[in-house]
Amino acid sequence: MRAIPVASVALLGVAALSACVPAGAAVGGDNSTFGFTVHPGIVEPGGEVTLGVGRTAAGCRGRVTVTSPVFDTVTIPRHESSATARVDRDARRGAVYQVSFACKERTGTVNLTIADGSHRPTPEPRHSKGVHAGEGGSVAGFDVKQIGLGVALIAGAVGTAYHLSRRRPGGDGT
C-alpha cells in the first residue's frame, strides 16, 4: 500500500523539477558543441548583434566565418572570440533567420529572430575586447526566484507524501 504514495512523490518531484527549468533556455542562440552564440537573440532591423565563438579545447581554435541572409559576412580572427554585425534595415519583422558559423571542418547554426515591433529587446553592454567574465561554469543563468520556487515545490511534495504515508487507516478497515 505504500507504493502509491511513493509513486506520487516521485511524479510530483519530477513535475516540480521540470517546472524549474527556464522556458527559454535554448532561445537566444547558443550552439553548445562549439560555443557559437548570437546576442541578443532578438534584434530590431538595423540593430547590432554580437557573434561569439568558444575558444576552449572543444571549441574552434581557427578563424571563423559567419554568414546570414540578414547581414554581411563576418570573419572572427583566430585570436578573437567575438565580432559584431549590423542587421539589414529591410530584414522582415517577426522572421527567424539562420546564422551559420564555419571553422575549418566544424560548422554550426544559431537562430536569430527579428523583432516584430511589439517589444523592445534589452540592449546588452558593448565590450570591444577582453574577457567576458561571470557566465562560465555551473553558475551561469541561475535565477534565485526559480531556484526558490523549485525548492518550495519539492519540499511541499515531500512533506505531503510524508504526511499521507503516516496517516492511520480509517475506521472502515482501509
Side-chain angles (χ1 to χ4, degrees), residues 34 36 53-64 76-81 102-106:
F34 301 114
F36 299 134
V53 61
R55 296 295 189 185
T56 62
C60 175
R61 295 195 179 269
R63 182 177 60 127
V64 179
I76 304 174
R78 65 180 183 87
H79 60 279
E80 297 287 332
S81 60
C103 174
K104 296 183 182 180
E105 67 277 353
R106 298 175 181 176

Side-chain angles (χ1 to χ4, degrees), residues 59-151:
C60 175
R61 295 195 179 269
R63 182 177 60 127
V64 179
T65 304
V66 186
T67 58
S68 178
V70 291
F71 56 77
D72 295 333
T73 299
V74 174
T75 301
I76 304 174
R78 65 180 183 87
H79 60 279
E80 297 287 332
S81 60
S82 66
T84 58
R86 181 152 313 273
V87 174
D88 296 338
R89 292 195 180 280
D90 60 348
R92 196 174 79 235
R93 289 187 173 277
V96 177
Y97 293 94
Q98 277 196 339
V99 178
S100 299
F101 292 79
C103 174
K104 296 183 182 180
E105 67 277 353
R106 298 175 181 176
T107 61
T109 59
V110 177
N111 288 334
L112 174 63
T113 304
I114 307 302
D116 62 6
S118 63
H119 75 288
R120 300 249 181 231
T122 304
E124 294 191 12
R126 293 187 59 201
H127 303 285
S128 59
K129 292 186 180 181
V131 176
H132 190 85
E135 293 184 12
S138 62
V139 182
F142 274 155
D143 183 355
V144 177
K145 290 180 189 175
Q146 289 179 343
I147 291 172
L149 176 63
V151 168

